[in-house]
Amino acid sequence: MGVAVGIVFIVLFLTGLLGTAFGVFLRVLAALLIALPLQAGAQWLHRRTRLPQGLALLLVALLVVGALGGAGWLFSTRIGGQVQELQQQLPQALRDVQERARGTEWGQWLANENLDFGRLTGGGSAWMGRITGIFSTTFSVLADAYVIIFLSLFIALQPKLYRAGLVMLVPKPGRTRAHEVLDKISDTLVKWVLGRLVSMLAVGVLTALGLWALGMPLAWVLALFAGLVTFIPNIGPIISMVPALLLAFFHGGPTEALYVLALYLGVQTLESAAVSPVVQQRLILLPPALIFVGQLVIGSFTGLLGLTLATPIIAIGVILVKMLYVQDVLGDESVDL
């Protein structure tokens, strides 16, 4: 009995240790997704202007911070007011949807089957709490911002130092190959980030124009939310639809909600069919099913951060398998990377 209890404690300890280690890995990866594009921009500026690497990195960082600060200042008053208004209207919209559903045939059928709407949604306030929780978390992904930002700055300032330390762990015969793998991973992560940013901008602009044309209230904040959650492939667009559909149903009824649904589906279809293939055509092509399954598995264990970073994690795994196993072990050089 004592041995069994000891084994259980050891398993739980190792599981917790593994979860902690993976959490650290996620934060390091998030820092890399900031540091690598900054370093790539600094290298590009260095090649074009012959400025010192440190000065080029400083200019790129100041440009990014200035652009973000300018955008925040430009939209702060309008967006801030709309965020507060959205938080006030969403609970009313949810209650309105529930009341209207009870007046339909299928709603009455659910009531006859003793299925309570509040229980189905986890309770109005609880369900609303989940939506606003996702909304606020997406708008202010600041839980680990301090660590991630400073870590990204350290990596961007001395990338060769950290790379050299990592490569030193590899036996000498494999160090050249290790540099090639790291180059491929760095290049893929930079392109993925740039591709996501372009997709976010396209979705945000198209959604704003569409909601404005439909006369939807709070169009700016809904469009900004749609653009931000586009950073999460596959699942992000579904999340962005929820507040928009609720408000459309609340203000305009089922017809307005159908128009908004058609708009979101159209924007996401355009982004998936036209924008993403163009901006990510040189990336490793990952099957959508693989990304979706990876998001479900990683997100279920690590939450929003893992869900957001699931695609680059899968991309890194694919690179390692193709280069270190398929090419180096199996000798198949025909695999397209």
Side-chain angles (χ1 to χ4, degrees):
M1 183 66 178
V3 174
V5 172
I7 293 176
V8 171
F9 274 110
I10 292 174
V11 171
L12 291 176
F13 173 76
L14 293 177
T15 303
L17 187 63
L18 181 62
T20 301
F22 192 72
V24 173
F25 167 73
L26 288 177
R27 286 153 181 81
V28 172
L29 179 58
L32 285 173
L33 292 175
I34 298 174
L36 292 177
L38 288 177
Q39 185 62 34
Q43 290 177 354
W44 179 86
L45 187 61
H46 168 71
R47 290 194 300 268
R48 291 292 188 275
T49 63
R50 298 301 177 185
L51 287 173
Q53 283 275 6
L55 180 58
L57 178 62
L58 177 61
L59 291 177
V60 171
L62 289 177
L63 179 62
V64 172
V65 172
L68 293 175
W73 174 81
L74 184 63
F75 296 111
S76 59
T77 303
R78 188 179 187 92
I79 294 296
Q82 289 197 1
V83 169
Q84 294 179 355
E85 190 176 350
L86 180 63
Q87 291 176 342
Q88 295 173 357
Q89 290 192 19
L90 277 179
Q92 300 175 6
L94 177 60
R95 288 192 294 269
D96 182 71
V97 170
Q98 291 177 343
E99 291 297 327
R100 296 194 186 194
R102 289 190 179 96
T104 62
E105 293 183 2
W106 60 269
Q108 294 175 0
W109 177 82
L110 289 176
N112 293 332
E113 293 295 325
N114 295 321
L115 296 176
D116 180 66
F117 283 96
R119 194 171 69 239
L120 284 173
T121 58
S125 59
W127 195 81
M128 196 59 240
R130 295 189 188 102
I131 295 179
T132 55
I134 294 173
F135 189 86
S136 60
T137 302
T138 306
F139 260 91
S140 59
V141 184
L142 300 175
D144 301 303
Y146 181 86
V147 174
I148 291 173
I149 289 176
F150 276 91
L151 181 59
S152 66
L153 291 177
F154 293 145
I155 296 174
L157 285 171
Q158 294 181 305
K160 294 181 180 180
L161 174 65
Y162 300 105
R163 171 183 279 230
L166 187 61
V167 172
M168 283 180 61
L169 301 175
V170 180
K172 286 185 177 180
R175 290 180 181 176
T176 300
R177 185 58 167 169
H179 278 292
E180 294 175 355
V181 173
L182 291 177
D183 286 338
K184 183 63 180 178
I185 291 175
S186 299
D187 183 61
T188 299
L189 292 180
V190 170
K191 289 178 179 177
W192 182 81
V193 170
L194 295 179
R196 285 289 90 197
L197 292 177
V198 173
S199 296
M200 291 166 64
L201 179 62
V203 169
V205 171
L206 292 175
T207 303
L209 293 175
L211 292 176
W212 172 78
L214 291 174
M216 272 286 294
L218 308 178
W220 282 101
V221 69
L222 291 173
L224 179 60
F225 181 55
L228 289 175
V229 297
T230 300
F231 194 81
I232 310 174
N234 295 332
I235 298 178
I238 299 175
I239 297 174
S240 69
M241 286 186 191
V242 175
L245 290 176
L246 285 175
L247 285 180
F249 201 91
F250 176 65
H251 287 282
T255 302
E256 185 74 12
L258 287 176
Y259 287 148
V260 171
L261 177 62
L263 169 66
Y264 273 73
L265 292 177
V267 169
Q268 293 303 324
T269 300
L270 182 62
E271 188 273 334
S272 301
V275 178
S276 289
V278 171
V279 300
Q280 298 188 21
Q281 58 184 344
R282 297 180 62 186
L283 287 174
I284 292 180
L285 297 179
L286 300 175
L290 178 61
I291 296 176
F292 189 74
V293 172
Q295 288 175 331
L296 292 179
V297 174
I298 297 174
S300 64
F301 287 102
T302 57
L304 182 62
L305 183 59
L307 179 66
T308 304
L309 301 180
T311 303
I313 291 173
I314 295 170
I316 292 173
V318 170
I319 292 172
L320 293 176
V321 170
K322 286 185 175 181
M323 296 187 71
L324 299 182
Y325 179 71
V326 177
Q327 291 183 347
D328 294 353
V329 177
L330 300 182
D332 188 354
E333 297 292 339
S334 64
V335 175
D336 183 18
L337 293 174

Short mmCIF file of all heavy atoms in Angstrom, two decimals, residues 78-122:
data_model
loop_
_atom_site.label_atom_id
_atom_site.label_comp_id
_atom_site.label_asym_id
_atom_site.label_seq_id
_atom_site.Cartn_x
_atom_site.Cartn_y
_atom_site.Cartn_z
N ARG A 78 -12.56 56.16 -28.56
CA ARG A 78 -13.71 55.53 -29.22
C ARG A 78 -13.84 54.06 -28.81
O ARG A 78 -14.93 53.60 -28.46
CB ARG A 78 -13.55 55.65 -30.74
CG ARG A 78 -14.78 55.21 -31.51
CD ARG A 78 -14.55 55.39 -33.01
NE ARG A 78 -15.76 55.13 -33.74
CZ ARG A 78 -16.66 56.04 -34.07
NH1 ARG A 78 -16.48 57.29 -33.70
NH2 ARG A 78 -17.75 55.72 -34.75
N ILE A 79 -12.72 53.34 -28.86
CA ILE A 79 -12.76 51.92 -28.54
C ILE A 79 -13.05 51.69 -27.07
O ILE A 79 -13.82 50.80 -26.70
CB ILE A 79 -11.43 51.25 -28.93
CG1 ILE A 79 -11.25 51.28 -30.44
CG2 ILE A 79 -11.38 49.82 -28.43
CD1 ILE A 79 -12.28 50.50 -31.20
N GLY A 80 -12.43 52.52 -26.19
CA GLY A 80 -12.67 52.35 -24.76
C GLY A 80 -14.13 52.48 -24.40
O GLY A 80 -14.67 51.68 -23.63
N GLY A 81 -14.79 53.49 -24.96
CA GLY A 81 -16.22 53.65 -24.69
C GLY A 81 -17.04 52.51 -25.23
O GLY A 81 -18.00 52.06 -24.59
N GLN A 82 -16.66 52.01 -26.40
CA GLN A 82 -17.41 50.90 -26.99
C GLN A 82 -17.20 49.59 -26.21
O GLN A 82 -18.11 48.77 -26.14
CB GLN A 82 -17.00 50.71 -28.45
CG GLN A 82 -17.50 51.81 -29.37
CD GLN A 82 -17.44 51.42 -30.83
OE1 GLN A 82 -17.05 50.31 -31.19
NE2 GLN A 82 -17.86 52.34 -31.69
N VAL A 83 -16.01 49.41 -25.65
CA VAL A 83 -15.78 48.21 -24.83
C VAL A 83 -16.70 48.20 -23.62
O VAL A 83 -17.33 47.19 -23.29
CB VAL A 83 -14.30 48.13 -24.39
CG1 VAL A 83 -14.12 47.05 -23.33
CG2 VAL A 83 -13.40 47.85 -25.58
N GLN A 84 -16.81 49.35 -22.94
CA GLN A 84 -17.71 49.43 -21.79
C GLN A 84 -19.16 49.22 -22.21
O GLN A 84 -19.92 48.53 -21.52
CB GLN A 84 -17.55 50.80 -21.12
CG GLN A 84 -16.18 51.01 -20.49
CD GLN A 84 -16.05 52.37 -19.85
OE1 GLN A 84 -16.96 53.20 -19.96
NE2 GLN A 84 -14.93 52.63 -19.19
N GLU A 85 -19.53 49.81 -23.33
CA GLU A 85 -20.90 49.64 -23.81
C GLU A 85 -21.17 48.19 -24.18
O GLU A 85 -22.27 47.66 -23.95
CB GLU A 85 -21.14 50.56 -25.00
CG GLU A 85 -22.60 50.64 -25.43
CD GLU A 85 -22.81 51.64 -26.54
OE1 GLU A 85 -21.87 52.41 -26.84
OE2 GLU A 85 -23.91 51.65 -27.12
N LEU A 86 -20.17 47.54 -24.78
CA LEU A 86 -20.33 46.13 -25.15
C LEU A 86 -20.52 45.27 -23.92
O LEU A 86 -21.36 44.36 -23.90
CB LEU A 86 -19.11 45.66 -25.95
CG LEU A 86 -19.11 44.21 -26.41
CD1 LEU A 86 -20.27 43.96 -27.38
CD2 LEU A 86 -17.80 43.83 -27.06
N GLN A 87 -19.74 45.51 -22.87
CA GLN A 87 -19.88 44.74 -21.65
C GLN A 87 -21.25 44.92 -21.01
O GLN A 87 -21.76 44.02 -20.36
CB GLN A 87 -18.78 45.16 -20.65
CG GLN A 87 -17.39 44.73 -21.07
CD GLN A 87 -16.32 45.24 -20.12
OE1 GLN A 87 -16.55 46.17 -19.36
NE2 GLN A 87 -15.15 44.64 -20.17
N GLN A 88 -21.86 46.08 -21.22
CA GLN A 88 -23.20 46.32 -20.68
C GLN A 88 -24.29 45.68 -21.53
O GLN A 88 -25.29 45.19 -21.01
CB GLN A 88 -23.45 47.83 -20.58
CG GLN A 88 -22.55 48.55 -19.58
CD GLN A 88 -22.71 50.05 -19.62
OE1 GLN A 88 -23.47 50.58 -20.46
NE2 GLN A 88 -22.02 50.76 -18.76
N GLN A 89 -24.07 45.66 -22.85
CA GLN A 89 -25.13 45.18 -23.74
C GLN A 89 -25.14 43.66 -23.92
O GLN A 89 -26.19 43.08 -24.18
CB GLN A 89 -24.99 45.85 -25.11
CG GLN A 89 -25.33 47.33 -25.11
CD GLN A 89 -25.47 47.87 -26.53
OE1 GLN A 89 -25.65 47.13 -27.48
NE2 GLN A 89 -25.39 49.19 -26.66
N LEU A 90 -23.98 43.01 -23.79
CA LEU A 90 -23.93 41.57 -24.04
C LEU A 90 -24.82 40.77 -23.08
O LEU A 90 -25.52 39.85 -23.53
CB LEU A 90 -22.49 41.07 -23.98
CG LEU A 90 -21.67 41.23 -25.26
CD1 LEU A 90 -20.26 40.71 -25.06
CD2 LEU A 90 -22.33 40.52 -26.43
N PRO A 91 -24.85 41.06 -21.77
CA PRO A 91 -25.77 40.30 -20.91
C PRO A 91 -27.23 40.49 -21.32
O PRO A 91 -28.01 39.54 -21.31
CB PRO A 91 -25.50 40.87 -19.51
CG PRO A 91 -24.12 41.43 -19.58
CD PRO A 91 -23.98 41.95 -20.98
N GLN A 92 -27.61 41.73 -21.70
CA GLN A 92 -28.98 41.97 -22.16
C GLN A 92 -29.26 41.20 -23.45
O GLN A 92 -30.33 40.63 -23.63
CB GLN A 92 -29.20 43.46 -22.39
CG GLN A 92 -28.98 44.32 -21.14
CD GLN A 92 -29.09 45.80 -21.46
OE1 GLN A 92 -29.42 46.19 -22.57
NE2 GLN A 92 -28.80 46.63 -20.46
N ALA A 93 -28.25 41.18 -24.34
CA ALA A 93 -28.43 40.45 -25.60
C ALA A 93 -28.60 38.96 -25.35
O ALA A 93 -29.43 38.30 -26.00
CB ALA A 93 -27.23 40.70 -26.52
N LEU A 94 -27.85 38.41 -24.42
CA LEU A 94 -27.96 36.99 -24.11
C LEU A 94 -29.34 36.66 -23.55
O LEU A 94 -29.97 35.68 -23.96
CB LEU A 94 -26.88 36.57 -23.12
CG LEU A 94 -26.91 35.12 -22.65
CD1 LEU A 94 -26.76 34.17 -23.82
CD2 LEU A 94 -25.82 34.87 -21.61
N ARG A 95 -29.84 37.49 -22.64
CA ARG A 95 -31.18 37.26 -22.09
C ARG A 95 -32.24 37.37 -23.16
O ARG A 95 -33.22 36.61 -23.17
CB ARG A 95 -31.44 38.26 -20.95
CG ARG A 95 -30.64 37.98 -19.68
CD ARG A 95 -31.17 38.81 -18.52
NE ARG A 95 -30.93 40.23 -18.75
CZ ARG A 95 -29.85 40.87 -18.35
NH1 ARG A 95 -28.88 40.23 -17.70
NH2 ARG A 95 -29.71 42.18 -18.55
N ASP A 96 -32.06 38.31 -24.10
CA ASP A 96 -33.03 38.48 -25.17
C ASP A 96 -33.06 37.25 -26.08
O ASP A 96 -34.13 36.80 -26.50
CB ASP A 96 -32.68 39.73 -25.98
CG ASP A 96 -33.68 39.99 -27.10
OD1 ASP A 96 -34.82 40.38 -26.81
OD2 ASP A 96 -33.31 39.77 -28.27
N VAL A 97 -31.88 36.71 -26.38
CA VAL A 97 -31.81 35.51 -27.21
C VAL A 97 -32.51 34.35 -26.51
O VAL A 97 -33.24 33.56 -27.14
CB VAL A 97 -30.34 35.16 -27.52
CG1 VAL A 97 -30.23 33.78 -28.16
CG2 VAL A 97 -29.73 36.21 -28.44
N GLN A 98 -32.30 34.21 -25.21
CA GLN A 98 -32.95 33.13 -24.48
C GLN A 98 -34.47 33.28 -24.49
O GLN A 98 -35.20 32.29 -24.66
CB GLN A 98 -32.44 33.11 -23.03
CG GLN A 98 -30.98 32.70 -22.91
CD GLN A 98 -30.48 32.77 -21.48
OE1 GLN A 98 -31.10 33.41 -20.64
NE2 GLN A 98 -29.36 32.13 -21.20
N GLU A 99 -34.96 34.51 -24.29
CA GLU A 99 -36.40 34.74 -24.30
C GLU A 99 -37.01 34.44 -25.66
O GLU A 99 -38.07 33.82 -25.77
CB GLU A 99 -36.71 36.19 -23.89
CG GLU A 99 -36.42 36.49 -22.43
CD GLU A 99 -37.28 35.67 -21.50
OE1 GLU A 99 -38.43 35.36 -21.86
OE2 GLU A 99 -36.80 35.31 -20.41
N ARG A 100 -36.34 34.87 -26.71
CA ARG A 100 -36.86 34.60 -28.06
C ARG A 100 -36.83 33.11 -28.37
O ARG A 100 -37.71 32.59 -29.06
CB ARG A 100 -36.06 35.38 -29.10
CG ARG A 100 -36.17 36.89 -28.97
CD ARG A 100 -35.65 37.57 -30.21
NE ARG A 100 -35.61 39.02 -30.04
CZ ARG A 100 -35.45 39.89 -31.04
NH1 ARG A 100 -35.34 39.44 -32.28
NH2 ARG A 100 -35.40 41.18 -30.81
N ALA A 101 -35.78 32.43 -27.89
CA ALA A 101 -35.69 30.99 -28.15
C ALA A 101 -36.83 30.25 -27.48
O ALA A 101 -37.38 29.29 -28.03
CB ALA A 101 -34.35 30.46 -27.65
N ARG A 102 -37.24 30.71 -26.30
CA ARG A 102 -38.35 30.06 -25.61
C ARG A 102 -39.67 30.22 -26.36
O ARG A 102 -40.59 29.43 -26.19
CB ARG A 102 -38.50 30.65 -24.20
CG ARG A 102 -37.39 30.24 -23.23
CD ARG A 102 -37.74 30.66 -21.80
NE ARG A 102 -36.69 30.26 -20.88
CZ ARG A 102 -35.71 31.06 -20.46
NH1 ARG A 102 -35.67 32.32 -20.89
NH2 ARG A 102 -34.80 30.63 -19.61
N GLY A 103 -39.75 31.24 -27.22
CA GLY A 103 -40.97 31.46 -27.98
C GLY A 103 -41.03 30.69 -29.28
O GLY A 103 -42.02 30.78 -30.00
N THR A 104 -40.00 29.92 -29.60
CA THR A 104 -39.99 29.13 -30.83
C THR A 104 -40.43 27.70 -30.55
O THR A 104 -40.50 27.27 -29.39
CB THR A 104 -38.58 29.11 -31.44
OG1 THR A 104 -37.68 28.48 -30.51
CG2 THR A 104 -38.10 30.53 -31.73
N GLU A 105 -40.75 26.96 -31.61
CA GLU A 105 -41.18 25.57 -31.46
C GLU A 105 -40.08 24.72 -30.84
O GLU A 105 -40.32 23.92 -29.94
CB GLU A 105 -41.61 25.00 -32.81
CG GLU A 105 -42.87 25.65 -33.38
CD GLU A 105 -43.28 25.00 -34.68
OE1 GLU A 105 -42.60 24.03 -35.10
OE2 GLU A 105 -44.29 25.44 -35.28
N TRP A 106 -38.82 24.90 -31.36
CA TRP A 106 -37.76 24.07 -30.81
C TRP A 106 -37.43 24.49 -29.38
O TRP A 106 -37.02 23.66 -28.57
CB TRP A 106 -36.51 24.14 -31.70
CG TRP A 106 -35.92 25.51 -31.87
CD1 TRP A 106 -36.21 26.42 -32.83
CD2 TRP A 106 -34.93 26.12 -31.03
NE1 TRP A 106 -35.47 27.56 -32.67
CE2 TRP A 106 -34.66 27.40 -31.57
CE3 TRP A 106 -34.24 25.71 -29.89
CZ2 TRP A 106 -33.75 28.28 -31.00
CZ3 TRP A 106 -33.32 26.58 -29.32
CH2 TRP A 106 -33.08 27.84 -29.88
N GLY A 107 -37.63 25.78 -29.07
CA GLY A 107 -37.42 26.22 -27.71
C GLY A 107 -38.44 25.62 -26.77
O GLY A 107 -38.12 25.20 -25.65
N GLN A 108 -39.71 25.56 -27.21
CA GLN A 108 -40.74 24.92 -26.40
C GLN A 108 -40.48 23.43 -26.25
O GLN A 108 -40.74 22.85 -25.20
CB GLN A 108 -42.11 25.17 -27.03
CG GLN A 108 -42.54 26.63 -27.03
CD GLN A 108 -43.85 26.84 -27.76
OE1 GLN A 108 -44.44 25.89 -28.27
NE2 GLN A 108 -44.30 28.09 -27.81
N TRP A 109 -39.96 22.82 -27.33
CA TRP A 109 -39.62 21.39 -27.23
C TRP A 109 -38.55 21.15 -26.18
O TRP A 109 -38.63 20.22 -25.39
CB TRP A 109 -39.15 20.89 -28.59
CG TRP A 109 -38.71 19.44 -28.56
CD1 TRP A 109 -39.49 18.34 -28.63
CD2 TRP A 109 -37.36 18.98 -28.43
NE1 TRP A 109 -38.71 17.20 -28.55
CE2 TRP A 109 -37.40 17.56 -28.43
CE3 TRP A 109 -36.13 19.61 -28.32
CZ2 TRP A 109 -36.26 16.79 -28.33
CZ3 TRP A 109 -34.98 18.85 -28.21
CH2 TRP A 109 -35.07 17.45 -28.21
N LEU A 110 -37.54 22.02 -26.17
CA LEU A 110 -36.49 21.88 -25.17
C LEU A 110 -37.06 22.07 -23.76
O LEU A 110 -36.67 21.37 -22.83
CB LEU A 110 -35.38 22.91 -25.43
CG LEU A 110 -34.49 22.67 -26.66
CD1 LEU A 110 -33.50 23.82 -26.82
CD2 LEU A 110 -33.74 21.35 -26.54
N ALA A 111 -38.00 23.03 -23.64
CA ALA A 111 -38.62 23.25 -22.33
C ALA A 111 -39.42 22.03 -21.91
O ALA A 111 -39.42 21.63 -20.73
CB ALA A 111 -39.50 24.49 -22.38
N ASN A 112 -40.15 21.41 -22.86
CA ASN A 112 -40.93 20.21 -22.55
C ASN A 112 -40.05 19.03 -22.16
O ASN A 112 -40.46 18.13 -21.43
CB ASN A 112 -41.80 19.81 -23.74
CG ASN A 112 -42.90 20.85 -24.01
OD1 ASN A 112 -43.34 21.55 -23.09
ND2 ASN A 112 -43.32 20.94 -25.26
N GLU A 113 -38.81 19.05 -22.68
CA GLU A 113 -37.87 17.98 -22.35
C GLU A 113 -37.13 18.26 -21.06
O GLU A 113 -36.14 17.59 -20.73
CB GLU A 113 -36.86 17.79 -23.50
CG GLU A 113 -37.46 17.27 -24.78
CD GLU A 113 -38.00 15.86 -24.62
OE1 GLU A 113 -37.36 15.09 -23.86
OE2 GLU A 113 -39.03 15.53 -25.23
N ASN A 114 -37.60 19.32 -20.36
CA ASN A 114 -36.98 19.71 -19.08
C ASN A 114 -35.53 20.13 -19.24
O ASN A 114 -34.69 19.91 -18.37
CB ASN A 114 -37.04 18.56 -18.06
CG ASN A 114 -38.48 18.24 -17.68
OD1 ASN A 114 -39.32 19.13 -17.54
ND2 ASN A 114 -38.77 16.95 -17.53
N LEU A 115 -35.22 20.76 -20.38
CA LEU A 115 -33.88 21.29 -20.61
C LEU A 115 -33.93 22.79 -20.36
O LEU A 115 -34.58 23.53 -21.10
CB LEU A 115 -33.41 21.00 -22.04
CG LEU A 115 -33.24 19.52 -22.37
CD1 LEU A 115 -32.86 19.36 -23.82
CD2 LEU A 115 -32.19 18.89 -21.47
N ASP A 116 -33.29 23.22 -19.32
CA ASP A 116 -33.32 24.63 -18.94
C ASP A 116 -32.26 25.40 -19.73
O ASP A 116 -31.10 24.98 -19.82
CB ASP A 116 -33.04 24.76 -17.45
CG ASP A 116 -33.06 26.21 -17.01
OD1 ASP A 116 -34.12 26.84 -17.07
OD2 ASP A 116 -31.98 26.69 -16.61
N PHE A 117 -32.66 26.55 -20.30
CA PHE A 117 -31.72 27.34 -21.09
C PHE A 117 -30.56 27.84 -20.22
O PHE A 117 -29.42 27.88 -20.68
CB PHE A 117 -32.44 28.54 -21.72
CG PHE A 117 -33.26 28.18 -22.91
CD1 PHE A 117 -34.63 27.93 -22.78
CD2 PHE A 117 -32.69 28.06 -24.16
CE1 PHE A 117 -35.38 27.59 -23.87
CE2 PHE A 117 -33.44 27.72 -25.26
CZ PHE A 117 -34.81 27.49 -25.12
N GLY A 118 -30.88 28.26 -19.03
CA GLY A 118 -29.81 28.75 -18.18
C GLY A 118 -28.80 27.65 -17.86
O GLY A 118 -27.61 27.88 -17.82
N ARG A 119 -29.34 26.40 -17.65
CA ARG A 119 -28.43 25.31 -17.35
C ARG A 119 -27.62 24.93 -18.58
O ARG A 119 -26.46 24.56 -18.50
CB ARG A 119 -29.23 24.11 -16.84
CG ARG A 119 -28.35 23.06 -16.18
CD ARG A 119 -29.18 22.00 -15.48
NE ARG A 119 -29.90 21.16 -16.43
CZ ARG A 119 -31.21 21.03 -16.45
NH1 ARG A 119 -31.96 21.70 -15.59
NH2 ARG A 119 -31.81 20.25 -17.32
N LEU A 120 -28.26 24.99 -19.76
CA LEU A 120 -27.53 24.66 -20.99
C LEU A 120 -26.36 25.59 -21.21
O LEU A 120 -25.32 25.19 -21.74
CB LEU A 120 -28.48 24.75 -22.20
CG LEU A 120 -29.47 23.61 -22.38
CD1 LEU A 120 -30.43 23.93 -23.51
CD2 LEU A 120 -28.74 22.30 -22.63
N THR A 121 -26.51 26.84 -20.86
CA THR A 121 -25.43 27.81 -21.06
C THR A 121 -24.58 27.99 -19.82
O THR A 121 -23.76 28.88 -19.76
CB THR A 121 -26.02 29.17 -21.47
OG1 THR A 121 -26.92 29.61 -20.45
CG2 THR A 121 -26.74 29.07 -22.79
N GLY A 122 -24.79 27.15 -18.83
CA GLY A 122 -24.03 27.28 -17.60
C GLY A 122 -24.53 28.41 -16.75
O GLY A 122 -23.83 28.91 -15.86
#
